[in-house]
Amino acid sequence: ALAVLLLWLFLASALLLLWNLPANTVKVLVQVRIPELVLSVAYGGILGVGGCVYQSVVKNPLADPHILGVSAG
């Protein structure tokens, strides 16, 4: 958690110094947009791992949702 905080602080200071962005813009980027991007990438990875586990449980490289009855919702 400390490493993430330090990375965020470094990123905020780099945005302020290198591109002369206003403080409000940096605040929006660091507090809203970048965490949103990180979470969406993590969520996509989790879905990929879940699909891999699902296919390995069914023992079928082309696992179909109808096999376990999960396609009905």
Side-chain angles (χ1 to χ4, degrees):
L2 182 60
V4 173
L5 178 63
L6 290 175
L7 179 66
W8 250 239
L9 290 174
F10 173 74
L11 183 62
S13 62
L15 286 173
L16 277 172
L17 294 175
L18 294 177
W19 290 299
N20 294 326
L21 294 175
N24 290 339
T25 304
V26 172
K27 189 174 184 179
V28 168
L29 285 173
V30 171
Q31 291 183 357
V32 178
R33 297 297 181 190
I34 294 173
E36 191 175 90
L37 174 70
V38 169
L39 286 175
S40 63
V41 168
Y43 186 69
I46 290 169
L47 284 175
V49 169
C52 183
V53 169
Y54 181 70
Q55 288 182 356
S56 67
V57 165
V58 178
K59 305 273 193 240
N60 184 357
L62 299 172
D64 186 21
H66 297 286
I67 293 173
L68 296 178
V70 294
S71 63

